[in-house]
Amino acid sequence: MSDLRWGVLSTARIGTEKVIPGIQRSRRGRVTAIASRDLGRAEAAAADLKIDKAYGSYEELLADPDIDAVYNPLPNNLHVDLTLQAAAAGKAVLCEKPVAMTKADAERLRAVEGKVPVMEAFMVRFHPQWLWARDQVRAGRLGELRAIQAFFSYFNRDPANIRNAPETGGGALLDIGCYPMVAGRFFFEGEPQRVLALIERDPDFQVDRLTSALLDFGGGRRVDFTVSTQVVPYQRVQLIGTDGRLEIEIPFNAPQGEATRLFLDDGSDLRGGGIQVQDMEAVDQYAEQADVFAAAVLGEAPLPYGIKDAVQNMAILDALFRSDESGQWESVG
């Protein structure tokens, strides 16, 4: 098998605008089918994206023997159910983040662990800018990495948008707070021991619209971040060490197929005279993700992140929600 044949569940925008074009640009993947509960929407998306097959139900797509892997961008509350159905049909699954609504929900995926590849779709972990940044940390360019600071926001008060619906897993923490959390795990190459959170909710939607968090990784290492669904769009990640600082300019929504920049600062000049600019070549992080996943499914490389990793992400998110309720530090269980 030279290429991975993908089927896509739903016509969600993240799929049609980001992930499907990324898979189509990848070296090893091709999208052969797309499904929606509305056949007309599936056919329209298939025509727009030049996909051969359109199905009017998810079950029809999962029964297609010519599909090797499924991309699942359904609402958060459907992630586990449809991932389990796809796995039962023998399909590998790339599931959109967050993988579940809670850790207990994610634990249900243990039933298919080791049977088919299942990975949570944090595409940022495959962008060369994240890999280069981690290489600088490993090489000691920052000295000892002590703090990671992140901000991620956009503005959305659309009452029809699922990100504003608590029953489908809306809100800032689940939608975008998971990215700074993953950044901490990625760059510290460790796990937080305890977390603290402060959440402010929209009075109409009852989802968190402004969330700040502190994650203690032990040994004097910490992540602090703020995410919001109702402030001006902005995003940054700062890696701060004893000898230097590294800033990722567009850490999460890196433009597809465009160059990106990082800034390595030795701290010698507070006006920026000690900053070196690192230009990264244009890549599509969704294509990079698709190729890494394809290599794992085709048996050419190990799966870098599996169900255990996804369950751990949900454990941290659960602890953050508990901390807001208790007003105290909460351990990550």
Side-chain angles (χ1 to χ4, degrees), residues 25-304:
R25 294 186 189 107
S26 71
R27 296 179 294 276
R28 304 296 305 278
R30 52 194 175 91
V31 181
T32 61
I34 188 168
S36 171
R37 287 174 292 189
D38 180 333
L39 179 59
R41 294 184 67 175
E43 290 174 335
D48 288 343
L49 294 162
K50 297 180 173 57
I51 299 170
D52 291 340
K53 302 176 187 177
Y55 291 113
S57 74
Y58 306 140
E59 291 74 19
E60 288 178 276
L61 183 145
L62 296 179
D64 186 337
D66 296 324
I67 292 173
D68 310 305
V70 165
Y71 168 59
N72 178 0
L74 289 162
N76 297 341
N77 62 314
L78 298 177
H79 281 175
V80 173
D81 286 347
L82 268 295
T83 294
L84 289 173
Q85 288 183 39
K91 317 298 186 188
V93 184
L94 178 67
C95 183
E96 195 52 62
K97 56 80 209 162
V99 77
M101 297 282 281
T102 63
K103 179 190 176 186
D105 188 25
E107 288 280 7
R108 296 193 289 134
L109 294 172
R110 301 278 195 189
V112 297
E113 197 165 14
K115 298 179 181 178
V116 296
V118 175
M119 186 173 79
E120 194 171 14
F122 280 106
M123 70 292 178
V124 292
R125 298 186 289 199
F126 307 100
H127 197 296
Q129 67 178 357
W130 276 51
L131 299 172
W132 184 85
R134 188 171 63 182
D135 285 345
Q136 306 316 297
V137 174
R138 289 174 172 175
R141 295 288 300 280
L142 307 183
E144 294 181 25
L145 181 60
R146 296 283 179 81
I148 298 173
Q149 296 182 327
F151 199 100
F152 192 6
S153 61
Y154 61 85
F155 195 96
N156 175 10
R157 285 211 83 247
D158 178 3
N161 192 291
I162 61 170
R163 292 169 182 82
N164 289 320
E167 64 274 13
T168 56
L173 186 54
L174 288 179
D175 187 39
I176 53 179
C178 51
Y179 284 106
M181 176 201 70
V182 161
R185 298 183 66 209
F186 186 87
F187 292 115
F188 279 135
E189 298 188 79
E191 302 297 341
Q193 300 173 0
R194 57 178 185 159
V195 301
L196 187 67
L198 179 63
I199 291 175
E200 194 264 337
R201 288 178 169 78
D202 183 281
D204 300 316
F205 305 139
Q206 297 304 309
V207 295
D208 63 303
R209 63 180 179 184
L210 181 66
T211 294
S212 297
L214 187 61
L215 283 61
D216 178 9
F217 280 75
R221 303 175 304 161
R222 62 194 58 177
V223 172
D224 66 88
F225 70 80
T226 294
V227 292
S228 177
T229 58
Q230 292 186 25
V231 301
V232 65
Y234 179 71
Q235 53 185 268
R236 283 294 187 279
V237 164
Q238 306 271 355
L239 308 179
I240 304 168
T242 54
D243 299 331
R245 175 186 66 86
L246 197 159
E247 177 180 346
I248 307 178
E249 185 178 41
I250 310 177
F252 308 120
N253 297 130
Q256 285 182 275
E258 296 183 25
T260 56
R261 298 187 302 175
L262 301 91
F263 307 97
L264 189 59
D265 186 2
D266 64 13
S268 60
D269 180 0
L270 292 177
R271 288 187 171 88
I275 293 177
Q276 300 175 28
V277 179
Q278 175 70 27
D279 292 307
M280 308 298 295
E281 293 184 3
V283 301
D284 184 331
Q285 61 187 345
Y286 298 97
E288 298 296 315
Q289 175 179 249
D291 279 325
V292 170
F293 191 67
V297 176
L298 298 175
E300 300 169 358
L303 186 70

